[in-house]
Amino acid sequence: MQGRPAPRRRKSPRSGFALTAAAAMLTTGLLSWPGTQRAEAAPTAFVHPGVTVSRAQLDFARAKVLAGAQPWKGAYDQMMAGPYASLSRTPKPRAVVECGPYSNPNYGCTDEREDAIAAYTDALAWYITRDDRYAEKAIELMDAWSATLTNHTNSNAPLQTAWAGASWAKAAELIKHTYTGTWPNAGRFATLLRNVYLAKLINGSNSNGNWELTMMEAAVGISVFLEDKASYDSAMARFRTRTAAYVYLPSDGDLPKTVPSQNLNTRDKIVAYWQGQSTFVTGLTQETCRDFVHTGYGISAISHVAETSRIQGQDLYGTDVGERLRQALGFQSKYELGAAVPSWLCGGSVKRGLGPITEVGYNALHNRLGIAMANTQTLTEQNRPAGTNNLFVAWETLTNGDNPN
């Protein structure tokens, strides 16, 4: 450890508006860090559409696109020009999707993920254009899979279930609660989400943290669609534990927090799990020294769950979740933008490639709460319009970019 900087708490650059907002959350009991955990409780009544994107956010985005305003119009054009919005797309369902490590073997893995993203893309296209053909295409995709799929197998099955489930939940939520036509097989799709997806997700994972974070994102989204309060509470509790174990804050102590079931009960075990990184500083994640691609998956899932929770009326941004998200975005953005990597961090080099994952957290923390996030802002604006990672993140400049709702 000699010659390496001691972990230190960074001063928060919160504006007066942000402090006022935090004070208001304390007054209303929403600010639960480091005390009560009530921010993870299911709402009395679920809000729909309410998985990552709300009706107010959709209305804002639609108005901007129809007015030709940027960056939303450019983001919409990008989405519509790609293959996911194609009305000639043919679903490729199969009864069993088998995904091995790094998708080897890949029996239906890519097809399922891409059909799910396409269904969400079509749902967004329907909402903005009010062209029934897009809603009908989304329904065609969902119906094809709900009539066929029975299981996910092999080692990557939990992660595959999460990736596809996250997109299916968003697509189903928009179609069920905004489409003015009919969806006769909506109940069958709900059964698919409950029996094939949620059942495999709800108990989490002891793999790298991005697995469980994405699994809980999908579980939370599916729980909203199903209006399943027990599953929502279970997924949220697991999400809170995993988020605390994924992003380091100095308030955690000398070592990062851990997930009890992983039995990381010595410093050596923790360091090994953190990819050999032994110096812990604000905003470092469990996978920073693995690569920024997987780190981006974890950060994205944290932002998606926090956003869904906010739409459902319980604000996680005022808890440690929001602080960890802010610091993780800022830390990774700094090095993604090309800052020199010190020798104590990941042996002096990082593998960049954060992906299109900053819009949701940046909008919530900077635009709504007024928190200064210079590096995240630079990266977000530089990467607009944010597209898709072809796994579970899609079109977030369109839906969340500078969106006040």
Side-chain angles (χ1 to χ4, degrees):
M1 297 292 290
Q2 189 172 1
R4 295 173 177 174
R8 64 189 183 200
R9 186 187 301 273
R10 295 180 181 174
K11 293 182 179 179
S12 171
R14 293 174 185 263
S15 67
F17 171 80
L19 291 172
T20 301
M25 286 188 284
L26 277 169
T27 302
T28 58
L30 289 175
L31 191 61
S32 64
W33 177 48
T36 174
Q37 297 290 298
R38 291 303 298 165
E40 69 193 24
T44 303
F46 285 100
V47 175
H48 301 290
V51 178
T52 308
V53 182
S54 68
R55 188 181 296 271
Q57 289 172 314
L58 290 165
D59 287 341
F60 174 86
R62 180 171 189 258
K64 291 296 186 182
V65 171
L66 296 180
Q70 300 297 354
W72 307 275
K73 180 60 164 61
Y76 169 77
D77 289 343
Q78 175 198 47
M79 179 181 83
M80 297 303 288
Y84 292 114
S86 172
L87 290 171
S88 62
R89 186 180 192 87
T90 301
K92 297 180 180 178
R94 63 172 63 209
V96 177
V97 172
E98 182 180 355
C99 307
Y102 300 98
S103 293
N104 183 23
N106 181 339
Y107 298 136
C109 315
T110 301
D111 291 339
E112 180 190 23
R113 294 194 304 266
E114 294 188 351
D115 275 356
I117 292 174
Y120 177 54
T121 302
D122 289 327
L124 289 173
W126 138 255
Y127 198 91
I128 290 171
T129 65
R130 295 301 198 267
D131 184 337
D132 285 354
R133 294 177 300 165
Y134 289 104
E136 290 163 1
K137 178 58 68 171
I139 290 170
E140 177 190 346
L141 292 161
M142 291 188 284
D143 282 355
W145 282 89
S146 69
T148 309
L149 183 65
T150 62
N151 197 16
H152 298 91
T153 65
N154 213 319
S155 61
N156 265 30
L159 185 59
Q160 172 71 18
T161 307
W163 282 338
S167 296
W168 287 132
K170 290 187 287 189
E173 185 78 355
L174 291 190
I175 294 299
K176 181 176 181 179
H177 296 287
T178 73
Y179 180 45
T180 52
T182 61
W183 182 13
N185 292 314
R188 188 177 73 194
F189 193 76
T191 298
L192 173 77
L193 290 181
R194 181 178 297 282
N195 295 343
V196 177
Y197 290 87
L198 188 59
K200 194 174 289 287
L201 297 169
I202 198 65
N203 292 322
S205 166
N206 285 327
S207 185
N208 279 300
N210 81 87
W211 278 50
E212 187 163 80
L213 288 167
T214 312
M215 290 169 73
M216 292 309 103
E217 175 192 339
V220 165
I222 290 168
S223 297
V224 171
F225 180 75
L226 297 176
E227 297 196 328
D228 184 335
K229 293 183 180 181
S231 293
Y232 184 95
D233 284 350
S234 176
M236 276 292 185
R238 193 174 293 274
F239 166 79
R240 294 293 297 273
T241 299
R242 175 61 71 173
T243 298
Y246 194 71
V247 182
Y248 178 78
L249 294 178
S251 56
D252 297 337
D254 291 338
L255 295 172
K257 290 181 177 293
T258 63
V259 174
S261 60
Q262 292 191 263
N263 195 36
L264 299 174
N265 53 8
T266 69
R267 179 183 178 82
D268 287 347
K269 287 182 180 180
I270 292 171
V271 168
Y273 186 60
W274 281 63
Q275 316 296 324
Q277 176 68 12
S278 59
T279 301
F280 302 104
V281 296
T282 305
L284 182 79
T285 81
Q286 182 255 313
E287 296 185 274
T288 297
C289 294
R290 179 187 185 188
D291 58 60
F292 279 19
V293 173
H294 290 89
T295 299
Y297 300 164
I299 294 172
S300 181
I302 292 170
S303 71
H304 292 164
V305 175
E307 192 68 6
T308 296
S309 179
R310 185 192 68 87
I311 294 167
Q312 297 305 323
Q314 292 159 314
D315 195 341
L316 289 177
Y317 292 115
T319 73
D320 76 300
V321 171
E323 182 65 2
R324 292 179 198 278
L325 176 59
R326 174 174 83 93
Q327 299 290 1
L329 283 168
F331 186 84
Q332 267 61 222
S333 292
K334 173 182 176 180
Y335 294 107
E336 182 73 11
L337 287 167
V341 181
S343 60
W344 56 263
L345 176 62
C346 309
S349 67
V350 295
K351 297 177 182 178
R352 296 176 174 86
L354 199 57
I357 59 91
T358 63
E359 289 279 15
V360 175
Y362 170 72
N363 185 59
L365 295 164
H366 175 74
N367 292 332
R368 289 202 207 105
L369 294 180
I371 300 170
M373 300 175 71
N375 288 324
T376 307
Q377 179 173 359
T378 298
L379 184 63
T380 300
E381 293 176 351
Q382 176 179 296
N383 288 344
R384 284 179 172 169
T388 176
N389 68 357
N390 301 307
L391 298 173
F392 72 107
V393 180
W395 324 126
E396 292 179 352
T397 298
L398 174 62
T399 56
N400 295 83
D402 297 342
N403 195 318
N405 297 290

